[in-house]
Amino acid sequence: MINESHQHNVAPGSETHFKVVLVTPKFSGERLINRHRAVNAVLKEELANKIHALALHTYTDSEWQGLYGGAPDSPACLGGMKRRVS
């Protein structure tokens, strides 16, 4: 889950706008609306009380592989001293 609140007109430090990227074989054969309903059901309380906006990106393993070829690379570690490690 990625907090995107800073991209919206909300108070600094807000946690009300999120993006979720979810990849699971459980989505196989499911229409997009059913995938979203499943995620919304799990987050029912948060959506009712805390989350204002939720962008859902739901994929099966094969859809993810076809679109992105796998997990994206992690950024280079800056280390404890905030310097780039070679």
Side-chain angles (χ1 to χ4, degrees):
M1 184 177 290
I2 301 165
N3 184 352
E4 296 185 326
S5 300
H6 65 280
Q7 299 173 352
H8 300 272
N9 188 22
V10 296
S14 292
E15 294 187 349
T16 56
H17 294 69
F18 294 92
K19 175 181 5 184
V20 172
V21 179
L22 187 57
V23 181
T24 177
K26 292 183 179 185
F27 289 147
S28 184
E30 290 292 335
R31 292 179 33 202
L32 184 60
I33 187 71
N34 291 333
R35 295 174 186 191
H36 288 204
R37 285 178 178 158
V39 175
N40 288 340
V42 171
L43 297 174
K44 182 179 179 180
E45 184 177 325
E46 289 83 357
L47 290 168
N49 299 307
K50 299 172 185 156
I51 297 175
H52 172 73
L54 182 64
L56 295 176
H57 303 271
T58 56
Y59 306 97
T60 64
D61 295 328
S62 61
E63 289 169 341
W64 180 262
Q65 291 290 330
L67 289 169
Y68 303 106
D73 292 337
S74 296
C77 178
L78 297 178
M81 301 300 290
K82 301 288 187 218
R83 57 189 164 94
R84 188 163 297 281
V85 176
S86 300

